[in-house]
Amino acid sequence: MEAPPTPPVPLGALLPERELGLRHLAGPAGAEVHGVHASEMADPSPYLLGGELLLTAGAALEDPDAYVARLARAGTAALGFGVTPVHATVPPELVAACDRHGLPLLEVPAGTPFTAVARAVWRLMARARTRELSRITEAQQALAAAAARPDPVPAVLSRLAGVLDGHAVLVSADGVREAAGRPAPAGVLAALTALAARVAGNGPGAGGPAAATATDTHEGLHLSVHALGRPGAAPGAAPLPVLALAAPGRAPGDHTIASVAAVLLTLLTAHRPPGPETAALTRLLLDGDPDGALGAGPWYAVHARGAGDPRALAAALGTVLLDPGEDGMRLLTDRDPAPQPGWRLGVAAPAGPAGLRTAGAQARRALERAEAARVPLARHAPGGIAALLDPAEARAHAEALLAPLNPAHARTLRAWLAHHGSWDRSAAALGVHRNTVRQRIARCATLLALDLDDPDTRMELWFALRHAGVEE
């Protein structure tokens, strides 16, 4: 099961950070920040994904109203304006434009570097993610404990409704309903019923297979429905039982919590004798221990995309451990997979239970290579990170990244990185004075517009220098 997305940071959480000294000048204060971007472009909107806190000193600010309008259309969360050295104060026209277009505006004082604002956002996001992961873990444990009670189905529904602070209803294949949690208005129940019928595969216009999940909003509530069974049944087949939820909010981890509940309810309501795979999944959910749930293996993680029957693919690979999704399937099998008609497969290196998380990432990347190369199956390529890269693409990227540097700068940068930032050893290797190395490295940082103290930046530059064939 994939990890939930990182929760955003409320804009109001930045204002109490005393070392930043931010002031809210205009626009609403209730925005949510999903990232930070700094730009002095006249129109940075083509480079924004939405949800960013955009930091600028206004070097190219000519038409505040047009500038703010473009940012608002791009979904920018807020604008942080740094005073000095370009503007002594925040321009009044910018304040008015932000109020007019509903874009939150923060003043960044002269003593606050943009980097400090970005680090504060990342720190708050990390804290929020830790809290959300703890909430998910506690919810999973509570749901597993409820599933072990004598009345497991109502206990799981009640626990789930409590965790989400909403309404939970289980609709069986024959239409029997079992509900828990806060009462839902009649209009919400009708919307949930229609959404549930669509997921179950028997709703109006449901001329195709049932889906795994569906979401909607109604009367200010977030609705979601999860199929309890195997989506992909042919039209005309018996409808699937579903779990339907209505909640006042939608936190990043709610989908993960609801998915765990759906798996438990699938096991609890299945009309078939439990097999070894069901027992393994139950142990995994209850104990949280892959080593205890699965045999020693080796196991193969597989990611697949195609137009065939997911159950037929699972049967061909000798497994019932499959996780269908909108963007493809994930499977786990103890057989070495072979190509299958109608599918593209990415296969991880064989692994034991403790290595399944890594194996899942390997399978995902292998599937991406299979689709790029248009081959039916690709396996994880051993040999380190470099082995995963296409040499021609890596060299093209490296040359583009290093284009601002002349040969002397590139050789100096490679030597400096190879000697872990030591001025003296780099100078000795190049046969120049240490001050020359300092000057060239400072020039490299300026030309590349990169922070050479950042380990991620150093790693990317090292790979680029190697793929570009730069020697000391």
Side-chain angles (χ1 to χ4, degrees):
M1 196 169 293
E2 299 290 341
T6 298
V9 173
L11 190 62
L14 281 174
L15 298 178
E17 297 281 325
R18 300 176 63 180
E19 70 275 11
L20 299 180
L22 304 178
R23 285 201 307 139
H24 178 228
L25 300 183
E32 292 187 333
V33 176
H34 292 262
V36 181
H37 183 70
S39 175
E40 298 302 328
M41 298 179 65
D43 181 15
S45 59
Y47 304 95
L48 301 176
L49 296 174
E52 294 92 349
L53 168 60
L54 179 67
L55 301 174
T56 183
L61 184 65
E62 297 180 355
D63 185 344
D65 188 78
Y67 178 78
V68 172
R70 288 192 293 265
L71 295 183
R73 286 195 299 270
T76 306
L79 177 64
F81 195 90
V83 294
T84 69
V86 182
H87 296 268
T89 60
V90 180
E93 300 83 0
L94 183 65
V95 176
C98 286
D99 269 330
R100 192 160 45 248
H101 294 282
L103 180 68
L105 174 64
L106 304 181
E107 179 190 75
V108 183
T112 300
F114 285 175
T115 302
V117 178
R119 287 179 177 175
V121 171
W122 304 139
R123 183 176 67 252
L124 291 171
M125 291 180 77
R127 290 177 183 172
R129 182 166 178 78
T130 299
R131 288 194 300 269
E132 189 67 7
L133 291 174
S134 297
R135 185 178 79 93
I136 292 170
T137 299
E138 292 172 0
Q140 289 174 332
Q141 293 171 346
L143 289 169
R149 293 185 50 166
D151 52 346
V153 172
V156 169
L157 285 175
S158 178
R159 183 68 68 178
L160 178 61
V163 169
L164 301 183
D165 191 27
H167 179 77
V169 57
L170 174 65
V171 183
S172 66
D174 54 8
V176 176
R177 296 170 177 265
E178 191 165 357
R182 60 168 61 188
V188 172
L189 289 176
L192 269 181
T193 300
L195 196 63
R198 197 167 78 210
V199 169
N202 63 349
T213 61
T215 60
D216 201 353
T217 57
H218 190 82
E219 297 183 15
L221 295 178
H222 296 274
L223 312 183
S224 64
V225 175
H226 303 255
L228 304 184
R230 303 181 183 214
L240 293 170
V242 297
L243 169 65
L245 303 167
R250 181 174 292 165
D254 286 352
H255 178 77
T256 301
I257 294 170
S259 297
V260 171
V263 172
L264 284 169
L265 290 169
T266 299
L267 297 176
L268 294 170
T269 59
H271 298 294
R272 60 183 175 85
E277 296 87 0
T278 303
L281 184 56
T282 303
R283 288 196 299 270
L284 179 59
L285 288 169
L286 293 176
D287 301 333
D289 178 14
D291 292 290
L294 299 172
W299 293 90
Y300 296 86
V302 180
H303 279 223
R305 289 195 187 102
D309 183 353
R311 289 171 292 182
L313 174 64
L317 297 180
T319 184
V320 296
L321 297 176
L322 70 156
D323 175 24
E326 295 181 1
D327 194 37
M329 288 179 55
R330 301 185 301 168
L331 305 98
L332 189 62
T333 178
D334 59 357
R335 299 183 189 176
D336 189 1
Q340 301 297 323
W343 294 92
R344 293 199 194 279
L345 306 181
V347 181
L356 292 184
R357 183 179 294 275
T358 299
Q362 292 175 355
R364 184 185 67 251
R365 291 193 296 267
L367 176 58
E368 292 171 355
R369 289 193 290 110
E371 294 189 320
R374 299 184 179 180
V375 296
L377 184 147
R379 298 181 184 276
H380 170 66
I385 295 176
L388 303 176
L389 306 177
D390 178 82
E393 291 185 4
R395 185 175 183 86
H397 172 74
E399 291 175 348
L401 178 62
L402 301 172
L405 305 184
N406 63 33
H409 287 140
R411 287 194 302 271
T412 303
L413 180 58
R414 191 187 194 285
W416 184 71
L417 292 173
H419 293 89
H420 309 290
S422 169
W423 308 111
D424 292 328
R425 285 188 290 162
S426 301
L430 294 167
V432 298
H433 195 275
R434 67 195 309 270
N435 287 343
T436 302
V437 176
R438 285 183 178 273
Q439 293 166 1
R440 289 180 181 176
I441 294 301
R443 184 60 177 160
C444 287
T446 301
L447 293 172
L448 296 172
L450 294 173
D451 179 7
L452 299 187
D453 290 330
D454 186 335
D456 290 335
T457 299
R458 291 193 183 192
M459 180 183 70
E460 183 170 1
L461 287 172
W462 178 253
F463 275 102
L465 290 161
R466 291 186 60 192
H467 281 94
V470 176
E471 301 292 340
E472 291 183 18

